Amino acid sequence: ISIWDTPEAKGEKIALLFPGHGSQYARQAREMTATIPELRAAMDHIDELMLEPLGYRLSSWLYPPSTFQEDEEEQQNKPLSNPHKSVLALAAFEAGMIDLLTDMELKPDMTAGHSLGESAAISYAGAIKRDDWYLYLERRMRLMQDYADTHIGDLLAINLPREEAMKFCEDYETVALANQNAPDQTVLG
């Protein structure tokens, strides 16, 4: 969270920008989740909602017991490299932040997001119910994982405009455009 409380910012409009996923790690935001009731409630809620589809509590691997061995810590971070899990973890955290900001009576003039953050912004705006948002994300990530499990390949984000990235698609018939994250970042698969 970045807040600018300067004379220049007084009376200006408020924008909320929700991040995408990709840099999560075990125990991330553990202290915030333990001390901020809105974050704890959001994690408890997603744990209950996702218990049946996932077969485990999301918080069990997001907040594993502390370890003092580097190799054990690396093992604890592995589940977060699975987007199916990391997306839901980030969604729960973003939902908790939405609740915290709502309880603080913060009323933004606009919301936006990058990648997963777009759906968080839509949820904040009230265009989708939270449980529907979580269930959509779980289903989407499960379908993506199922596809990845049955097809050879991977995704690669490269810092090239779409036109330049498309040259790889022309040169290699097994490479295709998967997504355009930004004007100068393209994902190939």
Side-chain angles (χ1 to χ4, degrees):
I1 298 175
S2 294
I3 300 173
W4 290 276
D5 188 19
T6 63
E8 297 82 16
K10 298 285 185 212
E12 294 298 320
K13 294 185 177 197
I14 297 172
L16 296 180
L17 179 62
F18 294 94
H21 78 287
S23 60
Q24 291 73 33
Y25 54 90
R27 291 178 291 287
Q28 183 174 9
R30 178 159 70 181
E31 291 80 14
M32 290 177 69
T33 303
T35 58
I36 298 173
E38 293 86 353
L39 294 176
R40 179 76 251 159
M43 184 56 66
D44 289 345
H45 181 72
I46 201 167
D47 269 349
E48 291 302 316
L49 183 69
M50 291 295 144
L51 186 56
E52 187 176 328
L54 296 178
Y56 55 86
R57 293 184 180 279
L58 197 58
S59 60
S60 67
W61 57 263
L62 186 59
Y63 302 119
S66 294
T67 180
F68 300 101
Q69 303 295 323
E70 194 171 310
D71 58 331
E72 289 178 19
E73 190 170 309
E74 284 179 29
Q75 285 298 110
Q76 290 178 339
N77 281 325
K78 278 190 178 179
L80 288 165
S81 66
N82 178 335
H84 191 186
K85 297 174 181 178
S86 61
V87 163
L88 292 170
L90 182 57
F93 185 76
E94 289 181 333
M97 293 304 295
I98 288 169
D99 293 343
L100 175 63
L101 297 172
T102 300
D103 288 352
M104 293 170 59
E105 297 182 9
L106 181 72
K107 302 213 183 318
D109 296 289
M110 68 152 305
T111 61
H114 171 72
S115 190
L116 173 69
E118 292 173 351
S119 64
I122 290 168
S123 176
Y124 188 91
I128 186 171
K129 293 178 184 174
R130 181 163 303 165
D131 285 2
D132 292 340
W133 174 42
Y134 287 158
L135 292 168
Y136 157 76
L137 291 174
E138 191 282 327
R139 175 81 172 141
R140 177 178 177 260
M141 296 316 298
R142 186 165 22 95
L143 290 171
M144 290 173 69
Q145 187 64 52
D146 289 349
Y147 183 84
D149 290 345
T150 58
H151 292 78
I152 296 173
D154 213 337
L155 295 176
L156 173 67
I158 56 175
N159 292 322
L160 289 175
R162 179 184 176 143
E163 296 75 30
E164 289 182 50
M166 289 300 292
K167 291 177 186 172
F168 289 102
C169 300
E170 294 165 8
D171 294 342
Y172 302 95
E173 63 184 51
T174 58
V175 177
L177 176 69
N179 193 32
Q180 185 170 354
N181 284 340
D184 289 330
Q185 188 184 65
T186 307
V187 180
L188 300 177

